[in-house]
Amino acid sequence: MTDLSKLPADIHIAVLMGGWANERPVSLMSGEGVAKALDERGHRVTRIDMDRDVAARIAEVKPDVVFNALHGVPGEDGTVQGMLDLMGVPYTHSGLATSVIAIDKQLTKQALVPHGIPMPGGRIVKTVDLFKRDPLPRPYVLKPVNEGSSVGVAIVTDDGNYGNPIARDAKGPWQDFSELLAEPYIKGREMTSAVVDFESGPRALAVTELKPKSGFYDFDAKYTDGITDHICPADIPERIRDLCLEIALKAHKVLGCRGTSRTDFRWDEEQGEDGLFVLETNTQPGMTPLSLVPEQARNAGIEYGELVETIIAAALRDHDGVKRNRGSDG
């Protein structure tokens, strides 16, 4: 790589991690991995486990930039982004507007589909209505509207154990959320493609196929070592690979993502190109040892520490650009 970004050795980086979302354990792993890599590269690092006093803590330590290693609400939905914007502190990953849209699966459809990006149909349903009738023909998928990491995803089939209609006491996302997104189930292969912002511009890195050894690619499959095979690069036709890379890059640009993003796909190979669908675009993908963005970066010859610095450099470039556009030196 010729356009990897280098950071000043004396830069002070606060790594924001933890929080109180369902994905707290993943965020802590991501954040510690980032902090350790920055330590090893000689940077000044402050680790911050987010609580309700996070603004005061950031104001106290006065970092040059915040690496946002939070996952889920409120670190990924625009809340933390708005706070840092008000404080005037540069931060990694996508900004407020992009975060608000991308965390919401229905808003993401409304943003991407008009630009020709294929996504499954579906609609928002009240949880109480699920106990009366199916919202779609089976099989279909139910998922929270604004959670990541496949938290609370259920595949409802004719021969499943949820009941018909779904039983109130059956274990599933209907026990935790008042509304859910119902989508047609797309059979086939699970794939993902990461995009990283380099100095020369954003670039899609690779396509990885994900093969859980049982069930589907849910939260446990993502973060439990040894239960999902990652095939990188994916063994797929060249045209499908190119389409995934093209669509991931387009989604990154349309949504206005920054630093890095990861777009997840399902592909029904019996349908060829017409069987490729985007499930979601994740604006703050994991940075754990099992995470897909670092894995694809390694495949492209980018070491973990180089990836972290490149993501931070994108944040600093964006912040400097905003200051110039506003005519501000503050």
Side-chain angles (χ1 to χ4, degrees):
M1 290 288 174
T2 59
D3 57 352
L4 291 173
S5 300
K6 300 295 183 183
L7 299 177
D10 60 349
I11 192 170
H12 178 199
I13 304 149
V15 180
L16 187 57
M17 66 182 94
W20 50 85
N22 288 322
E23 297 165 83
R24 171 180 170 81
V26 181
S27 173
L28 289 172
M29 286 191 290
S30 288
E32 185 55 36
V34 167
K36 183 178 178 182
L38 291 169
D39 283 338
E40 292 173 349
R41 296 176 85 82
H43 300 301
R44 180 184 171 196
V45 179
T46 299
R47 293 159 169 82
I48 300 178
D49 187 344
M50 180 169 145
D51 59 16
R52 304 289 179 178
D53 297 322
V54 64
R57 177 69 173 139
I58 292 170
E60 175 191 346
V61 302
K62 296 181 173 61
D64 297 308
V65 61
V66 168
F67 192 105
N68 184 359
L70 295 166
H71 302 310
V73 178
E76 197 171 347
D77 68 345
T79 303
V80 164
Q81 289 78 6
M83 177 193 73
L84 292 170
D85 284 340
L86 285 172
M87 297 178 71
V89 179
Y91 57 92
T92 63
H93 299 77
S94 297
L96 190 156
T98 297
S99 300
V100 168
I101 293 169
I103 193 71
D104 187 302
K105 296 176 176 65
Q106 192 70 356
L107 289 178
T108 300
K109 290 180 194 287
Q110 294 171 8
L112 296 183
V113 171
H115 289 269
I117 293 176
M119 300 188 74
R123 60 190 180 91
I124 304 295
V125 297
K126 298 288 186 183
T127 296
V128 293
D129 293 335
L130 296 172
F131 309 132
K132 303 173 186 175
R133 65 186 68 87
D134 286 331
L136 298 172
R138 298 190 179 199
Y140 62 91
V141 178
L142 290 170
K143 59 181 74 171
V145 177
N146 57 0
E147 290 278 353
S149 290
S150 299
V151 171
V153 176
I155 300 174
V156 182
T157 62
D158 283 326
D159 55 355
N161 58 2
Y162 298 132
N164 194 351
I166 293 172
R168 289 178 181 270
D169 59 353
K171 185 178 180 181
W174 41 85
Q175 294 184 336
D176 300 309
F177 302 93
S178 60
E179 290 186 333
L180 293 165
L181 175 62
E183 293 180 340
Y185 173 72
I186 299 168
K187 68 176 183 177
R189 299 161 72 172
E190 189 103 22
M191 301 183 298
T192 193
S193 182
V195 175
V196 173
D197 282 340
F198 298 99
E199 287 190 21
S200 59
R203 185 163 68 249
L205 296 182
V207 180
T208 299
E209 182 174 5
L210 306 159
K211 292 186 173 182
K213 294 178 180 177
S214 64
F216 69 100
Y217 192 57
D218 60 4
F219 184 91
D220 290 337
K222 287 184 177 183
Y223 299 114
T224 304
D225 195 8
I227 69 173
T228 298
D229 291 329
H230 295 188
I231 313 301
C232 183
D235 183 14
I236 54 177
E238 183 176 345
R239 177 56 183 156
I240 299 299
R241 180 205 66 196
D242 291 347
L243 269 178
C244 288
L245 297 174
E246 175 186 320
I247 291 170
L249 182 58
K250 188 173 184 179
H252 183 93
K253 292 179 176 178
V254 168
L255 291 170
C257 299
R258 184 183 69 200
T260 186
S261 69
R262 197 195 71 238
T263 294
D264 298 336
F265 300 87
R266 288 283 284 185
W267 178 46
D268 181 355
E269 55 190 315
E270 293 179 4
Q271 303 297 318
E273 294 179 19
D274 292 337
L276 184 66
F277 291 90
V278 168
L279 299 181
E280 65 177 335
T281 294
N282 187 329
T283 58
Q284 292 188 201
M287 295 288 286
T288 76
L290 296 180
S291 293
L292 293 152
V293 174
E295 181 179 70
Q296 290 194 0
R298 286 194 301 272
N299 182 72
I302 305 167
E303 294 302 319
Y304 185 91
E306 294 173 324
L307 173 64
V308 170
E309 287 196 336
T310 297
I311 293 170
I312 294 170
L316 295 173
R317 286 196 304 270
D318 185 73
H319 185 75
D320 289 344
V322 169
K323 287 200 300 182
R324 286 193 298 271
N325 290 337
R326 291 177 178 170
S328 170
D329 59 0

